[in-house]
């Protein structure tokens, strides 16, 4: 043994400063997030701004006008100021297609899903809010299965009911049915010819949390499935459509698990 000790290998500049640089970057990001969050909070419109925006809507509102809010998290605040102009049927609408006039109250440049493809005919800034009015030709509704439920023919276990249910954290006025596992509930309506447009989803946030299985809704005409959806717990309100002849149309609800609350609504349009 020589007893010689080798000198330490010098560390590169990158090895020395990279950890310091990364720590500084993480600190900067954390500070930016705190500042951005506080800045966003200060930009949320107050009650006075909402009252002035609501006054704009009320001044031009006509019976039957749809009122929507954007983004979705401001909806409870909007309903506090304009809820008397939003009846239950409107709040629980299947979609917005039957409405020819739509008022939108939006925050921070947001747009509601109901107006995303439309151009406003009127727009007015009110503090941190923007009030927009849209006009279009509403769709013709030839039949609504929700209104025809008392005349429907029911086969199988379980009785469908018309409910105002929570589906995808949104109120929906829909036909609700809970088929036992492995059994089908068949609901038959006499409908006019046209295009059947509908939506289906799973109701009740608590059963969606505890029961993760999907539900299935088939639409049959003459024993043939013309539309089918199987909404899962995270799918919300799922659309379906199919052309139908005049006559019997059967909605068949199935579920692999108990207490699965399937909700649906459908209309016949040209």
């Amino acid at each position: 043994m020589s007893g010689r000790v080798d000198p330490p290998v010098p560390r590169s500049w990158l090895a020395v400063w990279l950890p310091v640089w990364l720590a500084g970057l993480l600190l900067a990001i954390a500070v930016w997030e705190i500042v951005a969050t506080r800045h966003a909070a200060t930009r949320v419109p107050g009650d006075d701004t909402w009252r002035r925006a609501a006054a704009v809507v009320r001044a031009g509102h006509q019976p039957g006008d749809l009122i929507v809010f954007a983004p979705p998290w401001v909806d409870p605040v909007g309903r506090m100021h304009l809820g008397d102009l939003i009846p239950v049927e409107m709040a629980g609408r299947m979609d917005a297609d039957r409405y020819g006039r739509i008022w939108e109250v939006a925050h921070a440049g947001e747009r509601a899903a109901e107006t995303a493809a439309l151009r406003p005919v009127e727009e007015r800034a009110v503090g941190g809010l923007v009030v927009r009015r849209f006009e279009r030709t509403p769709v013709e509704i030839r039949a609504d299965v929700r209104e025809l439920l008392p005349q429907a023919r029911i086969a199988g276990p379980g009785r469908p009911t018309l409910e105002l249910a929570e589906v995808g954290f949104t109120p929906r006025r829909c036909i609700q049915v809970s088929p036992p596992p492995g059994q089908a509930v068949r609901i038959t309506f006499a409908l006019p010819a046209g295009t059947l447009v509908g939506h289906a989803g799973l109701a009740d946030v608590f059963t969606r949390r505890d029961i993760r299985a999907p539900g299935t809704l088939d639409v049959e005409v003459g024993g043939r499935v013309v539309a089918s959806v199987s909404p899962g717990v995270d799918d919300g309100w799922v659309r379906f459509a199919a052309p139908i002849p005049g006559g019997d149309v059967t909605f068949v609800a199935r579920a692999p698990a108990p207490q699965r609350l399937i909700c649906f609504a459908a209309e016949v349009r040209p």
Side-chain angles (χ1 to χ4, degrees), residues 56-233:
V56 173
V57 175
R58 292 181 184 279
H61 183 271
Q62 297 179 9
D65 286 2
L66 175 63
I67 301 174
V68 298
F69 306 100
W73 59 264
V74 305
D75 191 84
V77 182
R79 290 176 189 269
M80 286 178 57
H81 293 273
L82 289 165
D84 59 303
L85 299 180
I86 307 175
V88 170
E89 292 77 9
M90 183 179 293
R93 62 190 176 274
M94 184 183 81
D95 58 29
D97 293 350
R98 65 166 62 198
Y99 297 97
R101 284 168 51 99
I102 304 175
W103 292 90
E104 176 188 73
V105 183
H107 167 55
E110 297 282 345
R111 291 291 299 273
E114 294 88 344
T115 68
L118 304 177
R119 297 184 63 178
V121 297
E122 178 183 350
E123 183 171 321
R124 180 172 172 181
V126 183
L129 298 172
V130 177
V131 178
R132 302 182 181 96
R133 179 170 59 86
F134 303 85
E135 294 187 3
R136 61 168 177 200
T137 302
V139 299
E140 175 190 340
I141 308 299
R142 294 179 176 174
D144 185 332
V145 299
R146 294 169 296 184
E147 309 307 324
L148 298 175
L149 183 59
Q151 292 81 46
R153 304 193 303 276
I154 315 299
R159 301 297 300 180
T161 56
L162 184 61
E163 304 286 349
L164 182 63
E166 174 274 322
V167 179
F169 306 104
T170 301
R172 299 295 181 187
R173 183 171 173 266
C174 55
I175 296 173
Q176 180 174 285
V177 60
S178 182
Q183 302 184 60
V185 178
R186 303 175 64 86
I187 311 165
T188 300
F189 301 89
L191 298 177
T195 299
L196 182 73
V197 178
H199 288 74
L202 304 180
D204 188 66
V205 62
F206 299 108
T207 57
R208 290 198 305 273
R209 178 197 63 191
D210 299 334
I211 304 169
R212 305 298 292 176
T216 296
L217 183 73
D218 293 336
V219 181
E220 295 182 357
V221 176
R224 182 174 64 91
V225 176
V226 297
S228 181
V229 289
S230 295
V233 295

Side-chain angles (χ1 to χ4, degrees), residues 12-70:
S12 69
W13 178 91
L14 183 62
V16 173
W17 289 103
L18 181 59
V20 177
W21 181 81
L22 289 175
L25 178 62
L26 291 175
L27 178 61
I29 292 173
V31 171
W32 178 85
E33 288 179 339
I34 293 172
V35 172
T37 300
R38 290 182 176 177
H39 177 64
T42 62
R43 293 170 57 237
V44 175
D47 283 342
D48 180 66
T49 300
W50 275 100
R51 281 192 292 268
R52 290 188 288 122
V56 173
V57 175
R58 292 181 184 279
H61 183 271
Q62 297 179 9
D65 286 2
L66 175 63
I67 301 174
V68 298
F69 306 100

